[in-house]
Amino acid sequence: MSKSESESRENNEIESENRILELAKSKPNGISNNDIKTEISNIPPEVWTKTVNKLLKTGVLELFKDKGVLLYKYKDPSKKTEVKGSDNEEKIVYKIIEEAGNKGIWIRDIRFKSNLNMTQLNKVLKSLETKKFIKAVKSVAASKKKVYMLYNLEPDSSVTGGAWYQDQDFESEFVDILNQQCFRFLEGKRESAIKLGGGPLMCRNRSYVTTTDVHKFISELGISKVQLSVDDIESILYTVVLDNKAERTVNSNGEYLYRAIKPFLDPPGVVRTTCGICPIVDRCGDSGLINPKSCKYLTSWLND
Amino acid sequence: MSAQQGLVVRLILLERFGDIVANVGEIIFQNPNSLYHIAKSTKVPLGKVKEALSILIKHNLASFKLNVDGITAVYTLNIKNVFLMLRFPKFINLIKTKFDEEVEILVEEILLKGCLTGSEVILKATARLQENKNISVLIQQLKDKFASLVTAKYVIKLSTPTMKEEDLFALPNIDLKKLLIVLNGGSETLSDAGVYWTINFDRFHQDLRDQLIVNAVTNKFDENIGELMRILLQQMYVRTAPWVPSSNPVPILEVKEILKKRNTHSQLITHFEQYVNILEQDSTGIIRKVGEASGGSYQIEMKHIFNQLVWETIEHIVNEKFDSKASRIFRLVRSRHYIEPEQIQNLVMIPAKEAKRILYQLLEENFLVVNELKRSAPNLGPNKSFTLFHIRLDQIIRNIMELCYKSLYNIMTRRQHEKYLNKRLIDKKQRVDTITHGMRVQGISGDPVLDIEEMITPPETEILNRIGKMLQKLSLTELQIDDTMFSLEMYLMYD
Ligand code: SF4
């Protein structure tokens, strides 16, 4: 695809979005596919159908059916959603949940604030949930507890656990990969600093990196589905330090600097035998089933 | 002193001196005892006990003092020295690299006998080396080499309470003419009879310690800094007693001069100041600048170095015994001294459940301890107590020592067991070897020798090879376990 073509396509998409929004705003009762076709005939169908899908997804348009015809209705995001067709109780609960913001609120606290009994409250919550006014989000803080918040809100990272949680589960593989990649980056820096030559001091100083450097590297790798912040990378880098694979110092701006390092020692002799790492060493003796003469661990280690 | 240690002591004595010495050693390991009591508890005849004790005393493995009754002697086992026997191969190797094969043989003979007079050492070494050599030249050489061992303090005079410090390394009077007479079968009283020499373990330990440090520094930085460290240590001795925790200042220019003269590490000479800077600025604090005059002078922080090395040793052990997540947690607790479980979970980036499991494991094996802190003002909020994780280094070191004893015991037991299982074959091989060796000495070669050699069938050879490898691996492991014990000992020495 040539450049001009792709540009015109982009223009098309922007125009299509504007025109459809205009149309929808002008008809509060909803617009049908036919309306769009006739009103913006200059835009090809494959473009505007894409636009409609996008708008539906972002919640700017709402889909509903009237007498067998599909209609799209404009939903003003700036206007507070009216809890239509709700009774008073629903309104009160809605308000309590709204106040809790994106941190959400526990059912116990809603009950406490609303003075409703449990059965009532459950009914109200269920109804609000089916109408998609609110949603229940599992909190990482306490595994079995749910918090409620407004439907369109993005839960706070204290609830989701931030980048490291996927549906409440800690993504330890993801963290491990990042840990390895961060170390790889530091190690690469160290090696290239050695290759560059110069005096040993320069060599050492060249092997230092800032968190921002590492952040850039990780972002460019594209291994992360979620956007990682510099702070996220800082946490990962600290685990590399704790693994004794890197050291951390502070530069004159108060920024952390990291550098790959090597240990003083190889694993000590005592853990190079099976006995040094044996999980049943306490039960191992001269007599009895577990003994060094017939031990299978030792046998396979000896035959290695 | 632990029961596990006692088991290893017994095995070591058993391997080198046999059953009776091992039994006697075991008794005096448990309790210092008089001759009569030893005989009674071991059920060994008195004469044999005396023999065993004299072997132990000659090797400096037992000592004695007058009992409270003022008549009998009480015998004690020198446990440390028993364990040192595991280190002999390292001592021999060290001497071989530092001197030459002839000096190695001198040291070997002394190690073998425990103690010898200078003349005896030379006689024994001559017996081993005399093939194709002019005897009088050889004994002159050996005498000189023995003298250099004494001057370098690798051997030391067996001391009596009345001996003065400076006499410990005074050269003996060795009369070569008399030696020659003895060598030719005559009898003669040797000039230095009664002046016994033994191995100065302390001196060997200094070398092993320095080697350990240089290797560690080389691993962490590079060859150049390793060499810098080596010369620093060498110059340390010029003005510092060997075992002080923090050396007297070493003028850095002195080190530079030596390096220039040797001219082995050109990089190090060109960027000398930079390398010194790197070593000094390292967070582990190996050397410390204490003076600015004439290029600066530096203290070597021995205590500090071994503190660092022992921590790293333990971290490695946690890593191998559990996994990398466990060592991550362990290092975090080390760096924070006291830390709450929630904080640990957040910082190590391990799923809460797994972190809990690891913490529990580390607690169970005593790598971590828990301190409960009661909140001081009970009327503020819920009366909660804090749980803080913490490390007790001394306790861990004790446990690792025990682990070393246990592993040593198991490995040695296994080695003896493998030997025992294949005893018939090993003995056969030995017999064949003796016979063929004898034939070759008599000048017989060709088919008759081959016939004898073929008594060991190919499958048997294969088994022998396999066993040989196995035994070698086990022996090597024993040496490696001793390495671990050595670094822990060094830490305790400076502690
Ligand atoms: S001999 Fe076997 S069971 Fe006993 S401690 Fe060693 S590895 Fe474990």
Side-chain angles (χ1 to χ4, degrees), chain A residues 273-276 278-281 284-286 288-303, chain B residues 410-411 413-414 417-418 470 474:
Chain A
T273 72
T274 46
C275 300
C278 177
I280 49 173
V281 61
C284 176
D286 269 333
L289 280 177
I290 305 168
N291 66 70
K293 287 180 187 168
S294 66
C295 169
K296 286 201 190 91
Y297 296 129
L298 265 182
T299 308
S300 64
W301 170 77
L302 276 174
N303 293 330
Chain B
N410 285 351
I411 295 291
T413 306
R414 182 64 178 249
H417 184 63
E418 294 288 341
M470 224 183 232
L474 288 162

PDB file of all heavy atoms in Angstrom, chain A residues 273-276 278-281 284-286 288-303, chain B residues 410-411 413-414 417-418 470 474:
ATOM      1  N   THR A 273      27.148 -32.071  46.483  1.00  0.00           N
ATOM      2  CA  THR A 273      26.810 -33.476  46.679  1.00  0.00           C
ATOM      3  C   THR A 273      25.308 -33.583  46.862  1.00  0.00           C
ATOM      4  O   THR A 273      24.643 -32.593  47.154  1.00  0.00           O
ATOM      5  CB  THR A 273      27.425 -34.028  47.966  1.00  0.00           C
ATOM      6  OG1 THR A 273      26.703 -33.450  49.057  1.00  0.00           O
ATOM      7  CG2 THR A 273      28.862 -33.673  48.086  1.00  0.00           C
ATOM      8  N   THR A 274      24.796 -34.780  46.714  1.00  0.00           N
ATOM      9  CA  THR A 274      23.373 -34.951  46.956  1.00  0.00           C
ATOM     10  C   THR A 274      23.044 -34.742  48.432  1.00  0.00           C
ATOM     11  O   THR A 274      21.980 -34.267  48.762  1.00  0.00           O
ATOM     12  CB  THR A 274      22.932 -36.361  46.556  1.00  0.00           C
ATOM     13  OG1 THR A 274      23.883 -37.273  47.091  1.00  0.00           O
ATOM     14  CG2 THR A 274      22.867 -36.508  45.064  1.00  0.00           C
ATOM     15  N   CYS A 275      23.977 -35.092  49.300  1.00  0.00           N
ATOM     16  CA  CYS A 275      23.671 -35.012  50.729  1.00  0.00           C
ATOM     17  C   CYS A 275      23.476 -33.564  51.182  1.00  0.00           C
ATOM     18  O   CYS A 275      22.655 -33.284  52.044  1.00  0.00           O
ATOM     19  CB  CYS A 275      24.776 -35.665  51.548  1.00  0.00           C
ATOM     20  SG  CYS A 275      24.996 -37.404  51.153  1.00  0.00           S
ATOM     21  N   GLY A 276      24.255 -32.659  50.575  1.00  0.00           N
ATOM     22  CA  GLY A 276      24.144 -31.261  50.968  1.00  0.00           C
ATOM     23  C   GLY A 276      22.797 -30.647  50.650  1.00  0.00           C
ATOM     24  O   GLY A 276      22.394 -29.666  51.272  1.00  0.00           O
ATOM     25  N   CYS A 278      19.988 -32.700  50.227  1.00  0.00           N
ATOM     26  CA  CYS A 278      19.023 -33.784  50.373  1.00  0.00           C
ATOM     27  C   CYS A 278      17.846 -33.368  51.251  1.00  0.00           C
ATOM     28  O   CYS A 278      18.036 -32.860  52.347  1.00  0.00           O
ATOM     29  CB  CYS A 278      19.719 -34.985  51.005  1.00  0.00           C
ATOM     30  SG  CYS A 278      18.609 -36.341  51.324  1.00  0.00           S
ATOM     31  N   PRO A 279      16.630 -33.584  50.755  1.00  0.00           N
ATOM     32  CA  PRO A 279      15.468 -33.189  51.558  1.00  0.00           C
ATOM     33  C   PRO A 279      15.207 -34.125  52.746  1.00  0.00           C
ATOM     34  O   PRO A 279      14.497 -33.758  53.665  1.00  0.00           O
ATOM     35  CB  PRO A 279      14.307 -33.231  50.558  1.00  0.00           C
ATOM     36  CG  PRO A 279      14.756 -34.151  49.482  1.00  0.00           C
ATOM     37  CD  PRO A 279      16.259 -34.066  49.429  1.00  0.00           C
ATOM     38  N   ILE A 280      15.793 -35.325  52.711  1.00  0.00           N
ATOM     39  CA  ILE A 280      15.506 -36.254  53.807  1.00  0.00           C
ATOM     40  C   ILE A 280      16.758 -36.528  54.630  1.00  0.00           C
ATOM     41  O   ILE A 280      16.873 -37.558  55.282  1.00  0.00           O
ATOM     42  CB  ILE A 280      14.919 -37.585  53.277  1.00  0.00           C
ATOM     43  CG1 ILE A 280      15.772 -38.125  52.121  1.00  0.00           C
ATOM     44  CG2 ILE A 280      13.497 -37.404  52.840  1.00  0.00           C
ATOM     45  CD1 ILE A 280      15.357 -39.510  51.678  1.00  0.00           C
ATOM     46  N   VAL A 281      17.683 -35.591  54.598  1.00  0.00           N
ATOM     47  CA  VAL A 281      18.960 -35.794  55.288  1.00  0.00           C
ATOM     48  C   VAL A 281      18.757 -36.099  56.774  1.00  0.00           C
ATOM     49  O   VAL A 281      19.503 -36.878  57.366  1.00  0.00           O
ATOM     50  CB  VAL A 281      19.891 -34.583  55.067  1.00  0.00           C
ATOM     51  CG1 VAL A 281      19.290 -33.315  55.603  1.00  0.00           C
ATOM     52  CG2 VAL A 281      21.265 -34.817  55.639  1.00  0.00           C
ATOM     53  N   CYS A 284      18.273 -39.734  57.398  1.00  0.00           N
ATOM     54  CA  CYS A 284      19.281 -40.615  56.835  1.00  0.00           C
ATOM     55  C   CYS A 284      20.249 -41.032  57.939  1.00  0.00           C
ATOM     56  O   CYS A 284      20.770 -40.202  58.667  1.00  0.00           O
ATOM     57  CB  CYS A 284      20.022 -39.874  55.731  1.00  0.00           C
ATOM     58  SG  CYS A 284      21.362 -40.789  55.008  1.00  0.00           S
ATOM     59  N   GLY A 285      20.471 -42.341  58.073  1.00  0.00           N
ATOM     60  CA  GLY A 285      21.367 -42.813  59.123  1.00  0.00           C
ATOM     61  C   GLY A 285      22.075 -44.082  58.691  1.00  0.00           C
ATOM     62  O   GLY A 285      21.981 -44.495  57.540  1.00  0.00           O
ATOM     63  N   ASP A 286      22.780 -44.683  59.626  1.00  0.00           N
ATOM     64  CA  ASP A 286      23.538 -45.872  59.283  1.00  0.00           C
ATOM     65  C   ASP A 286      22.653 -47.089  59.090  1.00  0.00           C
ATOM     66  O   ASP A 286      22.847 -47.885  58.190  1.00  0.00           O
ATOM     67  CB  ASP A 286      24.543 -46.181  60.401  1.00  0.00           C
ATOM     68  CG  ASP A 286      25.856 -45.510  60.109  1.00  0.00           C
ATOM     69  OD1 ASP A 286      26.142 -45.293  58.919  1.00  0.00           O
ATOM     70  OD2 ASP A 286      26.586 -45.198  61.062  1.00  0.00           O
ATOM     71  N   GLY A 288      18.602 -48.638  58.886  1.00  0.00           N
ATOM     72  CA  GLY A 288      17.321 -48.148  58.378  1.00  0.00           C
ATOM     73  C   GLY A 288      17.343 -48.071  56.873  1.00  0.00           C
ATOM     74  O   GLY A 288      18.364 -48.277  56.226  1.00  0.00           O
ATOM     75  N   LEU A 289      16.163 -47.750  56.350  1.00  0.00           N
ATOM     76  CA  LEU A 289      16.007 -47.791  54.893  1.00  0.00           C
ATOM     77  C   LEU A 289      16.793 -46.701  54.205  1.00  0.00           C
ATOM     78  O   LEU A 289      17.279 -46.874  53.100  1.00  0.00           O
ATOM     79  CB  LEU A 289      14.522 -47.662  54.544  1.00  0.00           C
ATOM     80  CG  LEU A 289      13.714 -48.942  54.673  1.00  0.00           C
ATOM     81  CD1 LEU A 289      12.250 -48.672  54.380  1.00  0.00           C
ATOM     82  CD2 LEU A 289      14.275 -49.998  53.720  1.00  0.00           C
ATOM     83  N   ILE A 290      16.884 -45.535  54.852  1.00  0.00           N
ATOM     84  CA  ILE A 290      17.589 -44.424  54.226  1.00  0.00           C
ATOM     85  C   ILE A 290      19.005 -44.383  54.774  1.00  0.00           C
ATOM     86  O   ILE A 290      19.230 -43.998  55.917  1.00  0.00           O
ATOM     87  CB  ILE A 290      16.858 -43.104  54.514  1.00  0.00           C
ATOM     88  CG1 ILE A 290      15.399 -43.220  54.077  1.00  0.00           C
ATOM     89  CG2 ILE A 290      17.541 -41.946  53.816  1.00  0.00           C
ATOM     90  CD1 ILE A 290      14.531 -42.110  54.553  1.00  0.00           C
ATOM     91  N   ASN A 291      19.959 -44.821  53.969  1.00  0.00           N
ATOM     92  CA  ASN A 291      21.346 -44.833  54.425  1.00  0.00           C
ATOM     93  C   ASN A 291      22.280 -44.597  53.245  1.00  0.00           C
ATOM     94  O   ASN A 291      21.933 -44.870  52.101  1.00  0.00           O
ATOM     95  CB  ASN A 291      21.654 -46.154  55.132  1.00  0.00           C
ATOM     96  CG  ASN A 291      21.583 -47.303  54.163  1.00  0.00           C
ATOM     97  OD1 ASN A 291      22.434 -47.431  53.285  1.00  0.00           O
ATOM     98  ND2 ASN A 291      20.574 -48.132  54.304  1.00  0.00           N
ATOM     99  N   PRO A 292      23.467 -44.093  53.518  1.00  0.00           N
ATOM    100  CA  PRO A 292      24.370 -43.717  52.426  1.00  0.00           C
ATOM    101  C   PRO A 292      24.870 -44.906  51.599  1.00  0.00           C
ATOM    102  O   PRO A 292      25.288 -44.718  50.466  1.00  0.00           O
ATOM    103  CB  PRO A 292      25.535 -43.025  53.134  1.00  0.00           C
ATOM    104  CG  PRO A 292      25.448 -43.427  54.559  1.00  0.00           C
ATOM    105  CD  PRO A 292      24.005 -43.697  54.830  1.00  0.00           C
ATOM    106  N   LYS A 293      24.813 -46.112  52.139  1.00  0.00           N
ATOM    107  CA  LYS A 293      25.340 -47.234  51.388  1.00  0.00           C
ATOM    108  C   LYS A 293      24.444 -47.590  50.206  1.00  0.00           C
ATOM    109  O   LYS A 293      24.926 -47.969  49.149  1.00  0.00           O
ATOM    110  CB  LYS A 293      25.501 -48.454  52.296  1.00  0.00           C
ATOM    111  CG  LYS A 293      26.670 -48.297  53.239  1.00  0.00           C
ATOM    112  CD  LYS A 293      26.831 -49.498  54.126  1.00  0.00           C
ATOM    113  CE  LYS A 293      27.909 -49.223  55.167  1.00  0.00           C
ATOM    114  NZ  LYS A 293      27.915 -50.223  56.224  1.00  0.00           N
ATOM    115  N   SER A 294      23.138 -47.475  50.411  1.00  0.00           N
ATOM    116  CA  SER A 294      22.242 -47.898  49.338  1.00  0.00           C
ATOM    117  C   SER A 294      21.467 -46.726  48.738  1.00  0.00           C
ATOM    118  O   SER A 294      20.586 -46.921  47.915  1.00  0.00           O
ATOM    119  CB  SER A 294      21.256 -48.937  49.877  1.00  0.00           C
ATOM    120  OG  SER A 294      20.412 -48.327  50.820  1.00  0.00           O
ATOM    121  N   CYS A 295      21.803 -45.512  49.157  1.00  0.00           N
ATOM    122  CA  CYS A 295      21.013 -44.349  48.744  1.00  0.00           C
ATOM    123  C   CYS A 295      20.982 -44.194  47.222  1.00  0.00           C
ATOM    124  O   CYS A 295      22.011 -44.196  46.551  1.00  0.00           O
ATOM    125  CB  CYS A 295      21.588 -43.093  49.366  1.00  0.00           C
ATOM    126  SG  CYS A 295      20.899 -41.596  48.666  1.00  0.00           S
ATOM    127  N   LYS A 296      19.752 -44.057  46.705  1.00  0.00           N
ATOM    128  CA  LYS A 296      19.590 -43.958  45.251  1.00  0.00           C
ATOM    129  C   LYS A 296      20.064 -42.608  44.722  1.00  0.00           C
ATOM    130  O   LYS A 296      20.571 -42.502  43.617  1.00  0.00           O
ATOM    131  CB  LYS A 296      18.120 -44.152  44.891  1.00  0.00           C
ATOM    132  CG  LYS A 296      17.677 -45.589  45.000  1.00  0.00           C
ATOM    133  CD  LYS A 296      16.411 -45.792  44.163  1.00  0.00           C
ATOM    134  CE  LYS A 296      15.801 -47.146  44.448  1.00  0.00           C
ATOM    135  NZ  LYS A 296      14.809 -47.111  45.544  1.00  0.00           N
ATOM    136  N   TYR A 297      19.867 -41.572  45.522  1.00  0.00           N
ATOM    137  CA  TYR A 297      20.339 -40.243  45.082  1.00  0.00           C
ATOM    138  C   TYR A 297      21.835 -40.301  44.824  1.00  0.00           C
ATOM    139  O   TYR A 297      22.330 -39.837  43.806  1.00  0.00           O
ATOM    140  CB  TYR A 297      20.103 -39.174  46.146  1.00  0.00           C
ATOM    141  CG  TYR A 297      18.673 -38.892  46.484  1.00  0.00           C
ATOM    142  CD1 TYR A 297      18.260 -38.887  47.812  1.00  0.00           C
ATOM    143  CD2 TYR A 297      17.746 -38.595  45.493  1.00  0.00           C
ATOM    144  CE1 TYR A 297      16.944 -38.612  48.140  1.00  0.00           C
ATOM    145  CE2 TYR A 297      16.436 -38.319  45.815  1.00  0.00           C
ATOM    146  CZ  TYR A 297      16.037 -38.335  47.154  1.00  0.00           C
ATOM    147  OH  TYR A 297      14.753 -38.055  47.481  1.00  0.00           O
ATOM    148  N   LEU A 298      22.535 -40.865  45.811  1.00  0.00           N
ATOM    149  CA  LEU A 298      23.988 -40.947  45.686  1.00  0.00           C
ATOM    150  C   LEU A 298      24.374 -41.804  44.481  1.00  0.00           C
ATOM    151  O   LEU A 298      25.285 -41.451  43.741  1.00  0.00           O
ATOM    152  CB  LEU A 298      24.581 -41.560  46.959  1.00  0.00           C
ATOM    153  CG  LEU A 298      25.085 -40.599  48.037  1.00  0.00           C
ATOM    154  CD1 LEU A 298      25.684 -41.381  49.191  1.00  0.00           C
ATOM    155  CD2 LEU A 298      26.128 -39.670  47.447  1.00  0.00           C
ATOM    156  N   THR A 299      23.655 -42.912  44.310  1.00  0.00           N
ATOM    157  CA  THR A 299      23.991 -43.806  43.204  1.00  0.00           C
ATOM    158  C   THR A 299      23.880 -43.073  41.872  1.00  0.00           C
ATOM    159  O   THR A 299      24.791 -43.127  41.051  1.00  0.00           O
ATOM    160  CB  THR A 299      23.041 -45.016  43.194  1.00  0.00           C
ATOM    161  OG1 THR A 299      23.044 -45.578  44.494  1.00  0.00           O
ATOM    162  CG2 THR A 299      23.491 -46.046  42.194  1.00  0.00           C
ATOM    163  N   SER A 300      22.772 -42.376  41.673  1.00  0.00           N
ATOM    164  CA  SER A 300      22.613 -41.755  40.355  1.00  0.00           C
ATOM    165  C   SER A 300      23.583 -40.581  40.209  1.00  0.00           C
ATOM    166  O   SER A 300      24.074 -40.314  39.115  1.00  0.00           O
ATOM    167  CB  SER A 300      21.173 -41.321  40.122  1.00  0.00           C
ATOM    168  OG  SER A 300      20.821 -40.336  41.031  1.00  0.00           O
ATOM    169  N   TRP A 301      23.894 -39.924  41.320  1.00  0.00           N
ATOM    170  CA  TRP A 301      24.890 -38.839  41.259  1.00  0.00           C
ATOM    171  C   TRP A 301      26.268 -39.404  40.889  1.00  0.00           C
ATOM    172  O   TRP A 301      27.003 -38.838  40.089  1.00  0.00           O
ATOM    173  CB  TRP A 301      24.931 -38.124  42.612  1.00  0.00           C
ATOM    174  CG  TRP A 301      26.049 -37.160  42.784  1.00  0.00           C
ATOM    175  CD1 TRP A 301      26.129 -35.904  42.255  1.00  0.00           C
ATOM    176  CD2 TRP A 301      27.247 -37.347  43.546  1.00  0.00           C
ATOM    177  NE1 TRP A 301      27.290 -35.307  42.639  1.00  0.00           N
ATOM    178  CE2 TRP A 301      28.004 -36.159  43.426  1.00  0.00           C
ATOM    179  CE3 TRP A 301      27.764 -38.387  44.311  1.00  0.00           C
ATOM    180  CZ2 TRP A 301      29.233 -35.994  44.052  1.00  0.00           C
ATOM    181  CZ3 TRP A 301      28.980 -38.234  44.926  1.00  0.00           C
ATOM    182  CH2 TRP A 301      29.708 -37.049  44.801  1.00  0.00           C
ATOM    183  N   LEU A 302      26.576 -40.583  41.457  1.00  0.00           N
ATOM    184  CA  LEU A 302      27.872 -41.209  41.169  1.00  0.00           C
ATOM    185  C   LEU A 302      27.970 -41.651  39.717  1.00  0.00           C
ATOM    186  O   LEU A 302      29.035 -41.631  39.120  1.00  0.00           O
ATOM    187  CB  LEU A 302      28.075 -42.423  42.075  1.00  0.00           C
ATOM    188  CG  LEU A 302      28.624 -42.130  43.460  1.00  0.00           C
ATOM    189  CD1 LEU A 302      28.626 -43.384  44.297  1.00  0.00           C
ATOM    190  CD2 LEU A 302      30.037 -41.572  43.358  1.00  0.00           C
ATOM    191  N   ASN A 303      26.827 -42.052  39.150  1.00  0.00           N
ATOM    192  CA  ASN A 303      26.859 -42.547  37.776  1.00  0.00           C
ATOM    193  C   ASN A 303      26.727 -41.437  36.743  1.00  0.00           C
ATOM    194  O   ASN A 303      26.745 -41.699  35.552  1.00  0.00           O
ATOM    195  CB  ASN A 303      25.754 -43.581  37.569  1.00  0.00           C
ATOM    196  CG  ASN A 303      26.034 -44.823  38.383  1.00  0.00           C
ATOM    197  OD1 ASN A 303      27.191 -45.154  38.627  1.00  0.00           O
ATOM    198  ND2 ASN A 303      24.992 -45.482  38.830  1.00  0.00           N
TER     199      ASN A 303
ATOM    200  N   ASN B 410      28.599 -39.346  55.143  1.00  0.00           N
ATOM    201  CA  ASN B 410      27.907 -40.162  54.152  1.00  0.00           C
ATOM    202  C   ASN B 410      28.795 -40.481  52.961  1.00  0.00           C
ATOM    203  O   ASN B 410      28.820 -41.620  52.483  1.00  0.00           O
ATOM    204  CB  ASN B 410      26.647 -39.433  53.664  1.00  0.00           C
ATOM    205  CG  ASN B 410      25.547 -39.488  54.704  1.00  0.00           C
ATOM    206  OD1 ASN B 410      25.665 -40.200  55.699  1.00  0.00           O
ATOM    207  ND2 ASN B 410      24.498 -38.730  54.496  1.00  0.00           N
ATOM    208  N   ILE B 411      29.518 -39.486  52.500  1.00  0.00           N
ATOM    209  CA  ILE B 411      30.360 -39.699  51.323  1.00  0.00           C
ATOM    210  C   ILE B 411      31.491 -40.685  51.655  1.00  0.00           C
ATOM    211  O   ILE B 411      31.791 -41.598  50.887  1.00  0.00           O
ATOM    212  CB  ILE B 411      30.962 -38.357  50.842  1.00  0.00           C
ATOM    213  CG1 ILE B 411      29.847 -37.418  50.367  1.00  0.00           C
ATOM    214  CG2 ILE B 411      31.984 -38.570  49.739  1.00  0.00           C
ATOM    215  CD1 ILE B 411      29.161 -37.838  49.112  1.00  0.00           C
ATOM    216  N   THR B 413      31.470 -42.943  54.015  1.00  0.00           N
ATOM    217  CA  THR B 413      30.867 -44.253  54.224  1.00  0.00           C
ATOM    218  C   THR B 413      30.613 -44.935  52.889  1.00  0.00           C
ATOM    219  O   THR B 413      30.899 -46.119  52.700  1.00  0.00           O
ATOM    220  CB  THR B 413      29.519 -44.114  54.965  1.00  0.00           C
ATOM    221  OG1 THR B 413      29.746 -43.383  56.157  1.00  0.00           O
ATOM    222  CG2 THR B 413      28.931 -45.461  55.302  1.00  0.00           C
ATOM    223  N   ARG B 414      30.103 -44.156  51.961  1.00  0.00           N
ATOM    224  CA  ARG B 414      29.805 -44.722  50.656  1.00  0.00           C
ATOM    225  C   ARG B 414      31.091 -45.179  49.960  1.00  0.00           C
ATOM    226  O   ARG B 414      31.137 -46.236  49.339  1.00  0.00           O
ATOM    227  CB  ARG B 414      29.065 -43.687  49.811  1.00  0.00           C
ATOM    228  CG  ARG B 414      28.649 -44.180  48.441  1.00  0.00           C
ATOM    229  CD  ARG B 414      27.644 -45.318  48.569  1.00  0.00           C
ATOM    230  NE  ARG B 414      27.204 -45.780  47.272  1.00  0.00           N
ATOM    231  CZ  ARG B 414      25.970 -45.609  46.790  1.00  0.00           C
ATOM    232  NH1 ARG B 414      25.062 -45.025  47.538  1.00  0.00           N
ATOM    233  NH2 ARG B 414      25.647 -46.044  45.606  1.00  0.00           N
ATOM    234  N   HIS B 417      32.190 -48.328  51.390  1.00  0.00           N
ATOM    235  CA  HIS B 417      31.269 -49.393  51.036  1.00  0.00           C
ATOM    236  C   HIS B 417      31.524 -49.871  49.604  1.00  0.00           C
ATOM    237  O   HIS B 417      31.547 -51.074  49.341  1.00  0.00           O
ATOM    238  CB  HIS B 417      29.837 -48.887  51.186  1.00  0.00           C
ATOM    239  CG  HIS B 417      28.805 -49.929  50.948  1.00  0.00           C
ATOM    240  ND1 HIS B 417      28.682 -51.042  51.741  1.00  0.00           N
ATOM    241  CD2 HIS B 417      27.849 -50.038  49.996  1.00  0.00           C
ATOM    242  CE1 HIS B 417      27.689 -51.798  51.287  1.00  0.00           C
ATOM    243  NE2 HIS B 417      27.172 -51.206  50.225  1.00  0.00           N
ATOM    244  N   GLU B 418      31.733 -48.932  48.690  1.00  0.00           N
ATOM    245  CA  GLU B 418      32.011 -49.313  47.299  1.00  0.00           C
ATOM    246  C   GLU B 418      33.293 -50.143  47.225  1.00  0.00           C
ATOM    247  O   GLU B 418      33.379 -51.121  46.481  1.00  0.00           O
ATOM    248  CB  GLU B 418      32.154 -48.077  46.402  1.00  0.00           C
ATOM    249  CG  GLU B 418      30.884 -47.256  46.237  1.00  0.00           C
ATOM    250  CD  GLU B 418      29.837 -47.945  45.365  1.00  0.00           C
ATOM    251  OE1 GLU B 418      30.196 -48.860  44.601  1.00  0.00           O
ATOM    252  OE2 GLU B 418      28.651 -47.560  45.466  1.00  0.00           O
ATOM    253  N   MET B 470      34.476 -43.670  40.268  1.00  0.00           N
ATOM    254  CA  MET B 470      33.556 -43.426  41.368  1.00  0.00           C
ATOM    255  C   MET B 470      34.318 -43.005  42.619  1.00  0.00           C
ATOM    256  O   MET B 470      33.989 -42.017  43.271  1.00  0.00           O
ATOM    257  CB  MET B 470      32.832 -44.741  41.652  1.00  0.00           C
ATOM    258  CG  MET B 470      31.370 -44.605  41.875  1.00  0.00           C
ATOM    259  SD  MET B 470      30.777 -46.250  42.261  1.00  0.00           S
ATOM    260  CE  MET B 470      29.474 -46.400  41.120  1.00  0.00           C
ATOM    261  N   LEU B 474      34.230 -39.465  44.682  1.00  0.00           N
ATOM    262  CA  LEU B 474      33.911 -39.374  46.107  1.00  0.00           C
ATOM    263  C   LEU B 474      35.032 -38.662  46.870  1.00  0.00           C
ATOM    264  O   LEU B 474      34.774 -37.817  47.724  1.00  0.00           O
ATOM    265  CB  LEU B 474      33.662 -40.769  46.665  1.00  0.00           C
ATOM    266  CG  LEU B 474      32.334 -41.405  46.218  1.00  0.00           C
ATOM    267  CD1 LEU B 474      32.344 -42.906  46.438  1.00  0.00           C
ATOM    268  CD2 LEU B 474      31.157 -40.778  46.946  1.00  0.00           C
TER     269      LEU B 474
END
